[in-house]
Amino acid sequence: MQRPIGVTMLALGAGLAALFEIWRALVFLGIANFTFVGKPVSFPDPQWGQAFWAILIAAIWIWVAEGFWNVRAYAWSFGIFISLFTVIFGFFALLGNAGTMESETVGWLLAIAIFFYLNYPGVRDQFVAKEMSLLTPEQRVAMEKMQAAQAEMAKASAASQPGASAPPPAAPPAPPAS
């Protein structure tokens, strides 16, 4: 199975998000600063809490980028989680005066683009198909048995519910107009 171009772009986007978070950590520590649309962004004193979270998010982005590159199923679910967390983290950084709209824009754009692409129809299926191709024959048989048991369970629970297969009762006729 070849790596689809979209998944390669996901890996590169996640890598860029990791680099951006590392750079943000340096800004929070006061080591780096930047100017965005004429507004300087720097911190005279280290912001240890924000720097810690930026480094933690960068580490997770690196792990997810590696998962995207290898088309692993865990990367799909963690990619959704970390992209949402990056947006939320940036929002709270704005609320706590630990960041500016300019300093959060790049991270938000990357995270939102990754989130929407991961939720695009068929993207998850690429990750699941790759994961299924890595199973041993014994694991495949076990998966087929599990899926058959789940289908039987769904049939049994649908049949055991009273009136589940009967159509809903018709609405009473409307009263005559006076």
Side-chain angles (χ1 to χ4, degrees), residues 13-165:
L16 282 174
L19 290 175
F20 177 73
E21 290 296 332
I22 290 169
W23 178 71
R24 277 178 34 138
L26 294 175
V27 170
F28 284 134
L29 291 173
I31 297 170
N33 60 8
F34 71 100
T35 302
F36 188 81
V37 191
K39 287 183 146 187
V41 178
S42 65
F43 295 96
D45 299 321
Q47 308 294 314
W48 293 107
Q50 290 86 349
F52 170 76
W53 282 109
I55 290 169
L56 182 65
I57 292 173
I60 294 171
W61 272 121
I62 290 168
W63 182 61
V64 168
E66 185 265 334
F68 285 155
W69 187 258
N70 293 319
V71 194
R72 298 302 306 259
Y74 75 83
W76 183 83
S77 58
F78 272 97
I80 288 177
F81 168 75
I82 196 63
S83 62
L84 287 176
F85 191 81
T86 299
V87 171
I88 293 168
F89 174 67
F91 176 72
F92 281 108
L94 284 178
L95 285 181
N97 259 352
T100 63
M101 190 67 160
E102 291 82 12
S103 69
E104 303 299 328
T105 303
V106 174
W108 279 345
L109 291 177
L110 283 169
I112 289 169
I114 289 170
F115 176 79
F116 279 122
Y117 184 77
L118 287 173
N119 285 299
Y120 192 75
V123 172
R124 184 186 69 158
D125 298 338
Q126 294 173 357
F127 288 94
V128 171
K130 169 67 183 219
E131 206 66 30
M132 294 300 284
S133 73
L134 298 175
L135 295 178
T136 64
E138 295 83 15
Q139 290 171 325
R140 286 190 189 139
V141 169
M143 286 292 291
E144 290 167 3
K145 286 181 181 178
M146 181 189 67
Q147 289 169 344
Q150 287 175 342
E152 287 298 318
M153 183 180 64
K155 282 184 202 174
S157 80
S160 69
Q161 292 181 358
S165 60

Side-chain angles (χ1 to χ4, degrees), residues 3-16 68-69 110 114 117:
R3 181 181 312 107
I5 187 70
V7 174
T8 303
M9 302 277 288
L10 276 174
L12 294 175
L16 282 174
F68 285 155
W69 187 258
L110 283 169
I114 289 170
Y117 184 77

